Amino acid sequence: MREDPRPYWRYVSKEGVLSEPAAILRRIDPGKAPSAADPPIDLEATWEAAVESIVEEYNREAAREPSDSIGPVQKWALGILADPTVGEPEGSAEAWEVLQVERNQPERKALGEIRRQLDRVEISPTEAAAAIVAVTRSYGLRPVDAAPRKEPIEAADVGVVCWMAVL
């Protein structure tokens, strides 16, 4: 079994499978419901539906490329830095490296302003590249090691921590 600290909650009903913890918590408060010795549901089929949903979500996340989390303004900035027709300012290799991971809103906002200036033809592409480098330096951005890639899982890799049927 692979280690993953994130819990994968599921609520399975006739309507389908829910995975959002807040929606699940709203539904599992039993209130003053009487207990049932022999639940009128197919526990095995319900468990299999939850496991299928967990495996699908986990494997979708495992298949994501690290660059999938980078927003459009950072992709644009990387494109400017990689464009062979644009002059290469000093520090562009370092800027390229630090923009490989998703950055916070202030950095993205500053990059967006450079993009707007270029779109309004207030600056040239080479000046935009220099401004991108300046943003990465002014915010003190440093390269970040990518998180290790997740390996896909199968149904047998899913273990139960807590299981309950809400009637």
Side-chain angles (χ1 to χ4, degrees):
M1 181 176 219
R2 289 170 179 81
E3 297 279 331
D4 187 353
R6 181 176 152 209
Y8 287 79
W9 292 34
R10 293 299 181 271
Y11 180 91
V12 183
S13 68
K14 294 176 197 169
E15 290 77 38
V17 179
L18 291 177
S19 62
E20 299 82 20
I24 293 169
L25 290 170
R26 283 193 297 272
R27 288 171 172 80
I28 63 174
D29 180 1
K32 298 181 189 229
S35 63
D38 190 20
I41 61 172
D42 183 346
L43 291 174
E44 191 63 32
T46 305
W47 171 247
E48 288 173 8
V51 168
E52 180 181 331
S53 174
I54 290 168
V55 168
E56 179 183 310
E57 179 182 342
Y58 184 94
N59 288 342
R60 186 175 49 250
E61 291 172 4
R64 285 181 53 180
E65 292 295 325
S67 63
D68 290 347
S69 67
I70 297 173
V73 74
Q74 277 185 238
K75 288 181 182 177
W76 167 83
L78 289 167
I80 291 292
L81 294 173
D83 188 336
T85 64
V86 174
E88 187 176 338
E90 182 182 333
S92 62
E94 292 82 5
W96 170 269
E97 186 69 28
V98 302
L99 291 174
Q100 294 297 312
V101 297
E102 182 178 18
R103 293 301 176 167
N104 293 323
Q105 194 260 343
E107 292 91 343
R108 293 191 316 263
K109 185 176 178 182
L111 293 172
E113 179 54 34
I114 297 166
R115 183 179 191 175
R116 286 186 289 281
Q117 289 175 341
L118 181 62
D119 290 346
R120 293 188 302 254
V121 195
E122 295 173 5
I123 59 174
S124 70
T126 300
E127 291 169 321
I132 291 167
V133 171
V135 164
T136 64
R137 287 180 174 163
S138 71
Y139 284 96
L141 302 182
R142 302 280 180 252
V144 176
D145 291 333
R149 289 197 60 130
K150 292 180 176 181
E151 293 295 322
I153 64 170
E154 299 174 352
D157 295 318
V158 178
V160 65
V161 173
C162 177
W163 172 253
M164 94 169 76
V166 180
L167 304 176

